Amino acid sequence: EIVMTQSPATLSVSPGERATFSCRASQSVSTKLAWYQQKPGQAPRLLIYGASTRATGVPDRFSGSGSGTEFTLTISSLQSDDFGVYYCQQHNAWPLTFGGGTQVDIK
Amino acid sequence: QVQLLESGGGVVQPGGSLRLSCEGSGFTFSGYSMHWVRQAPGKGLEWVTVVSFEGVVKYYGDSVRGRFTSSKDNFSNMVYLEMNNLRPEDTGVYYCVREYTINNWFFENWGQGTLVTVSS
């Protein structure tokens, strides 16, 4: 099983600031990495797939990068609506696995 | 638009069984693999199982293999999760999700989730 490790566990960011999240895979997943945002009481929302492709309707302040085992999600200028928990997921091999999440709080 | 509607959640005793259902609409159901993803209270996401577009190929996560069985009925646009020998750690919200496109195993379309509680 590919283990996905996210850091930090919690991030507190002021509106307008840049936010950066890290996701590390225990073995290479090529660029088969997705990012999701989840708000309380809601299903997750797909943000990025293929490591760097934005999903439909996702603002361009969200960007993804990386390949192999190291990946990054960046929010260039955090908006108040960007609070929630962010998860990475590898879609390269069975079983599919998620990271433990990074909680974003708005300062 | 794509809609996924789960049902069947509830409270069950440890060792018991439960069957979850998910009805898909707004897309060609027979053309997509369907997955179940769960989330324990206050915890992260855990992939549970996939059933292939034709309902033949199935994979399971280590924690449920041998206890859970997924199935797909393309005539009624339904996917099912049969859960046996349930444990307290199976408690959580179970989401029915559709693969993005064939063989792209990430998820744009999620159901609203159904809550399973395993407790005596």
mmCIF file of all heavy atoms in Angstrom, chain B residues 18-44:
data_model
loop_
_atom_site.group_PDB
_atom_site.id
_atom_site.type_symbol
_atom_site.label_atom_id
_atom_site.label_comp_id
_atom_site.label_asym_id
_atom_site.label_seq_id
_atom_site.Cartn_x
_atom_site.Cartn_y
_atom_site.Cartn_z
ATOM 1 N N LEU B 18 -24.998 -4.943 7.124
ATOM 2 C CA LEU B 18 -25.744 -3.806 6.590
ATOM 3 C C LEU B 18 -25.480 -3.754 5.090
ATOM 4 O O LEU B 18 -24.386 -4.118 4.634
ATOM 5 C CB LEU B 18 -25.283 -2.516 7.262
ATOM 6 C CG LEU B 18 -26.237 -1.333 7.403
ATOM 7 C CD1 LEU B 18 -27.511 -1.737 8.145
ATOM 8 C CD2 LEU B 18 -25.547 -0.190 8.116
ATOM 9 N N ARG B 19 -26.471 -3.309 4.329
ATOM 10 C CA ARG B 19 -26.300 -3.157 2.883
ATOM 11 C C ARG B 19 -26.574 -1.721 2.499
ATOM 12 O O ARG B 19 -27.672 -1.204 2.728
ATOM 13 C CB ARG B 19 -27.256 -4.075 2.139
ATOM 14 C CG ARG B 19 -27.055 -4.107 0.635
ATOM 15 C CD ARG B 19 -28.271 -4.658 -0.047
ATOM 16 N NE ARG B 19 -28.033 -5.132 -1.398
ATOM 17 C CZ ARG B 19 -28.987 -5.259 -2.314
ATOM 18 N NH1 ARG B 19 -30.229 -4.955 -2.028
ATOM 19 N NH2 ARG B 19 -28.698 -5.705 -3.519
ATOM 20 N N LEU B 20 -25.567 -1.089 1.914
ATOM 21 C CA LEU B 20 -25.718 0.270 1.404
ATOM 22 C C LEU B 20 -26.057 0.223 -0.081
ATOM 23 O O LEU B 20 -25.573 -0.654 -0.803
ATOM 24 C CB LEU B 20 -24.443 1.077 1.615
ATOM 25 C CG LEU B 20 -23.897 1.149 3.040
ATOM 26 C CD1 LEU B 20 -22.669 2.068 3.075
ATOM 27 C CD2 LEU B 20 -24.946 1.608 4.024
ATOM 28 N N SER B 21 -26.862 1.183 -0.504
ATOM 29 C CA SER B 21 -27.228 1.305 -1.908
ATOM 30 C C SER B 21 -26.889 2.700 -2.402
ATOM 31 O O SER B 21 -26.867 3.658 -1.623
ATOM 32 C CB SER B 21 -28.738 1.058 -2.094
ATOM 33 O OG SER B 21 -29.110 -0.201 -1.611
ATOM 34 N N CYS B 22 -26.656 2.799 -3.703
ATOM 35 C CA CYS B 22 -26.382 4.102 -4.316
ATOM 36 C C CYS B 22 -26.981 4.093 -5.711
ATOM 37 O O CYS B 22 -26.681 3.211 -6.526
ATOM 38 C CB CYS B 22 -24.890 4.357 -4.373
ATOM 39 S SG CYS B 22 -24.414 5.808 -5.345
ATOM 40 N N GLU B 23 -27.840 5.048 -5.970
ATOM 41 C CA GLU B 23 -28.440 5.189 -7.298
ATOM 42 C C GLU B 23 -27.758 6.317 -8.047
ATOM 43 O O GLU B 23 -27.661 7.446 -7.530
ATOM 44 C CB GLU B 23 -29.939 5.458 -7.199
ATOM 45 C CG GLU B 23 -30.607 5.567 -8.565
ATOM 46 C CD GLU B 23 -32.108 5.748 -8.482
ATOM 47 O OE1 GLU B 23 -32.614 6.050 -7.378
ATOM 48 O OE2 GLU B 23 -32.787 5.572 -9.512
ATOM 49 N N GLY B 24 -27.310 6.030 -9.254
ATOM 50 C CA GLY B 24 -26.681 7.036 -10.081
ATOM 51 C C GLY B 24 -27.626 7.521 -11.164
ATOM 52 O O GLY B 24 -28.430 6.762 -11.692
ATOM 53 N N SER B 25 -27.527 8.814 -11.491
ATOM 54 C CA SER B 25 -28.327 9.362 -12.569
ATOM 55 C C SER B 25 -27.581 10.516 -13.217
ATOM 56 O O SER B 25 -26.617 11.042 -12.649
ATOM 57 C CB SER B 25 -29.695 9.841 -12.046
ATOM 58 O OG SER B 25 -29.539 10.854 -11.077
ATOM 59 N N GLY B 26 -28.025 10.874 -14.428
ATOM 60 C CA GLY B 26 -27.410 11.996 -15.124
ATOM 61 C C GLY B 26 -26.163 11.639 -15.917
ATOM 62 O O GLY B 26 -25.484 12.541 -16.420
ATOM 63 N N PHE B 27 -25.841 10.349 -15.998
ATOM 64 C CA PHE B 27 -24.694 9.908 -16.785
ATOM 65 C C PHE B 27 -24.923 8.468 -17.218
ATOM 66 O O PHE B 27 -25.849 7.805 -16.736
ATOM 67 C CB PHE B 27 -23.392 10.042 -15.994
ATOM 68 C CG PHE B 27 -23.304 9.173 -14.753
ATOM 69 C CD1 PHE B 27 -22.572 8.008 -14.758
ATOM 70 C CD2 PHE B 27 -23.943 9.548 -13.573
ATOM 71 C CE1 PHE B 27 -22.485 7.213 -13.617
ATOM 72 C CE2 PHE B 27 -23.870 8.767 -12.431
ATOM 73 C CZ PHE B 27 -23.139 7.592 -12.453
ATOM 74 N N THR B 28 -24.099 7.983 -18.135
ATOM 75 C CA THR B 28 -24.215 6.617 -18.624
ATOM 76 C C THR B 28 -23.606 5.682 -17.582
ATOM 77 O O THR B 28 -22.392 5.438 -17.572
ATOM 78 C CB THR B 28 -23.508 6.454 -19.979
ATOM 79 O OG1 THR B 28 -24.047 7.404 -20.903
ATOM 80 C CG2 THR B 28 -23.715 5.050 -20.532
ATOM 81 N N PHE B 29 -24.445 5.179 -16.715
ATOM 82 C CA PHE B 29 -23.998 4.441 -15.526
ATOM 83 C C PHE B 29 -23.123 3.251 -15.902
ATOM 84 O O PHE B 29 -22.127 2.972 -15.224
ATOM 85 C CB PHE B 29 -25.221 3.974 -14.740
ATOM 86 C CG PHE B 29 -24.915 3.423 -13.383
ATOM 87 C CD1 PHE B 29 -24.674 4.266 -12.305
ATOM 88 C CD2 PHE B 29 -24.881 2.051 -13.161
ATOM 89 C CE1 PHE B 29 -24.401 3.763 -11.050
ATOM 90 C CE2 PHE B 29 -24.603 1.538 -11.904
ATOM 91 C CZ PHE B 29 -24.359 2.401 -10.848
ATOM 92 N N SER B 30 -23.451 2.572 -16.981
ATOM 93 C CA SER B 30 -22.724 1.364 -17.363
ATOM 94 C C SER B 30 -21.313 1.653 -17.861
ATOM 95 O O SER B 30 -20.515 0.736 -18.045
ATOM 96 C CB SER B 30 -23.501 0.604 -18.444
ATOM 97 O OG SER B 30 -23.672 1.425 -19.588
ATOM 98 N N GLY B 31 -20.986 2.919 -18.056
ATOM 99 C CA GLY B 31 -19.684 3.273 -18.593
ATOM 100 C C GLY B 31 -18.634 3.660 -17.568
ATOM 101 O O GLY B 31 -17.512 4.004 -17.924
ATOM 102 N N TYR B 32 -18.989 3.597 -16.296
ATOM 103 C CA TYR B 32 -18.089 4.086 -15.247
ATOM 104 C C TYR B 32 -17.927 3.069 -14.127
ATOM 105 O O TYR B 32 -18.890 2.430 -13.702
ATOM 106 C CB TYR B 32 -18.625 5.376 -14.643
ATOM 107 C CG TYR B 32 -18.601 6.556 -15.572
ATOM 108 C CD1 TYR B 32 -19.658 6.796 -16.443
ATOM 109 C CD2 TYR B 32 -17.518 7.428 -15.585
ATOM 110 C CE1 TYR B 32 -19.640 7.883 -17.302
ATOM 111 C CE2 TYR B 32 -17.492 8.517 -16.440
ATOM 112 C CZ TYR B 32 -18.548 8.736 -17.296
ATOM 113 O OH TYR B 32 -18.528 9.806 -18.148
ATOM 114 N N SER B 33 -16.696 2.984 -13.618
ATOM 115 C CA SER B 33 -16.473 2.274 -12.367
ATOM 116 C C SER B 33 -17.009 3.121 -11.227
ATOM 117 O O SER B 33 -16.988 4.354 -11.285
ATOM 118 C CB SER B 33 -14.974 2.033 -12.152
ATOM 119 O OG SER B 33 -14.453 1.180 -13.150
ATOM 120 N N MET B 34 -17.461 2.439 -10.197
ATOM 121 C CA MET B 34 -18.009 3.126 -9.026
ATOM 122 C C MET B 34 -17.245 2.693 -7.786
ATOM 123 O O MET B 34 -16.850 1.531 -7.643
ATOM 124 C CB MET B 34 -19.494 2.789 -8.861
ATOM 125 C CG MET B 34 -20.370 3.250 -10.022
ATOM 126 S SD MET B 34 -20.399 5.045 -10.222
ATOM 127 C CE MET B 34 -21.187 5.552 -8.703
ATOM 128 N N HIS B 35 -17.039 3.645 -6.882
ATOM 129 C CA HIS B 35 -16.241 3.425 -5.684
ATOM 130 C C HIS B 35 -17.064 3.774 -4.445
ATOM 131 O O HIS B 35 -18.043 4.520 -4.519
ATOM 132 C CB HIS B 35 -15.012 4.332 -5.689
ATOM 133 C CG HIS B 35 -14.099 4.164 -6.861
ATOM 134 N ND1 HIS B 35 -12.789 3.758 -6.722
ATOM 135 C CD2 HIS B 35 -14.301 4.376 -8.190
ATOM 136 C CE1 HIS B 35 -12.217 3.726 -7.931
ATOM 137 N NE2 HIS B 35 -13.117 4.096 -8.836
ATOM 138 N N TRP B 36 -16.583 3.268 -3.314
ATOM 139 C CA TRP B 36 -17.055 3.720 -2.005
ATOM 140 C C TRP B 36 -15.851 4.265 -1.226
ATOM 141 O O TRP B 36 -14.780 3.637 -1.203
ATOM 142 C CB TRP B 36 -17.703 2.582 -1.226
ATOM 143 C CG TRP B 36 -19.009 2.107 -1.786
ATOM 144 C CD1 TRP B 36 -19.206 1.112 -2.711
ATOM 145 C CD2 TRP B 36 -20.319 2.602 -1.474
ATOM 146 N NE1 TRP B 36 -20.540 0.969 -2.985
ATOM 147 C CE2 TRP B 36 -21.246 1.863 -2.233
ATOM 148 C CE3 TRP B 36 -20.811 3.583 -0.610
ATOM 149 C CZ2 TRP B 36 -22.632 2.083 -2.158
ATOM 150 C CZ3 TRP B 36 -22.175 3.799 -0.534
ATOM 151 C CH2 TRP B 36 -23.076 3.054 -1.307
ATOM 152 N N VAL B 37 -16.051 5.425 -0.630
ATOM 153 C CA VAL B 37 -15.049 6.060 0.221
ATOM 154 C C VAL B 37 -15.725 6.360 1.549
ATOM 155 O O VAL B 37 -16.874 6.810 1.571
ATOM 156 C CB VAL B 37 -14.526 7.375 -0.418
ATOM 157 C CG1 VAL B 37 -13.605 8.130 0.547
ATOM 158 C CG2 VAL B 37 -13.813 7.085 -1.736
ATOM 159 N N ARG B 38 -15.038 6.111 2.651
ATOM 160 C CA ARG B 38 -15.651 6.364 3.954
ATOM 161 C C ARG B 38 -14.825 7.327 4.779
ATOM 162 O O ARG B 38 -13.658 7.575 4.502
ATOM 163 C CB ARG B 38 -15.859 5.047 4.712
ATOM 164 C CG ARG B 38 -14.578 4.379 5.204
ATOM 165 C CD ARG B 38 -14.911 3.066 5.891
ATOM 166 N NE ARG B 38 -13.712 2.404 6.401
ATOM 167 C CZ ARG B 38 -13.715 1.219 7.014
ATOM 168 N NH1 ARG B 38 -14.856 0.567 7.194
ATOM 169 N NH2 ARG B 38 -12.575 0.703 7.449
ATOM 170 N N GLN B 39 -15.487 7.857 5.814
ATOM 171 C CA GLN B 39 -14.841 8.826 6.691
ATOM 172 C C GLN B 39 -15.348 8.623 8.108
ATOM 173 O O GLN B 39 -16.532 8.870 8.384
ATOM 174 C CB GLN B 39 -15.132 10.256 6.209
ATOM 175 C CG GLN B 39 -14.380 11.329 6.950
ATOM 176 C CD GLN B 39 -14.488 12.672 6.259
ATOM 177 O OE1 GLN B 39 -15.513 13.011 5.685
ATOM 178 N NE2 GLN B 39 -13.414 13.444 6.301
ATOM 179 N N ALA B 40 -14.478 8.172 8.990
ATOM 180 C CA ALA B 40 -14.835 8.028 10.395
ATOM 181 C C ALA B 40 -15.044 9.413 11.006
ATOM 182 O O ALA B 40 -14.487 10.409 10.511
ATOM 183 C CB ALA B 40 -13.733 7.280 11.139
ATOM 184 N N PRO B 41 -15.832 9.513 12.059
ATOM 185 C CA PRO B 41 -16.119 10.816 12.668
ATOM 186 C C PRO B 41 -14.842 11.564 13.046
ATOM 187 O O PRO B 41 -13.994 11.028 13.761
ATOM 188 C CB PRO B 41 -16.933 10.455 13.913
ATOM 189 C CG PRO B 41 -17.544 9.136 13.597
ATOM 190 C CD PRO B 41 -16.554 8.413 12.733
ATOM 191 N N GLY B 42 -14.690 12.772 12.517
ATOM 192 C CA GLY B 42 -13.530 13.601 12.835
ATOM 193 C C GLY B 42 -12.222 13.141 12.230
ATOM 194 O O GLY B 42 -11.159 13.672 12.566
ATOM 195 N N LYS B 43 -12.282 12.156 11.330
ATOM 196 C CA LYS B 43 -11.070 11.602 10.741
ATOM 197 C C LYS B 43 -10.997 11.879 9.241
ATOM 198 O O LYS B 43 -11.867 12.548 8.673
ATOM 199 C CB LYS B 43 -11.029 10.075 10.973
ATOM 200 C CG LYS B 43 -11.082 9.683 12.442
ATOM 201 C CD LYS B 43 -9.888 10.170 13.211
ATOM 202 C CE LYS B 43 -9.922 9.674 14.647
ATOM 203 N NZ LYS B 43 -8.775 10.222 15.450
ATOM 204 N N GLY B 44 -9.970 11.344 8.608
ATOM 205 C CA GLY B 44 -9.755 11.560 7.190
ATOM 206 C C GLY B 44 -10.523 10.588 6.310
ATOM 207 O O GLY B 44 -11.349 9.808 6.778
#
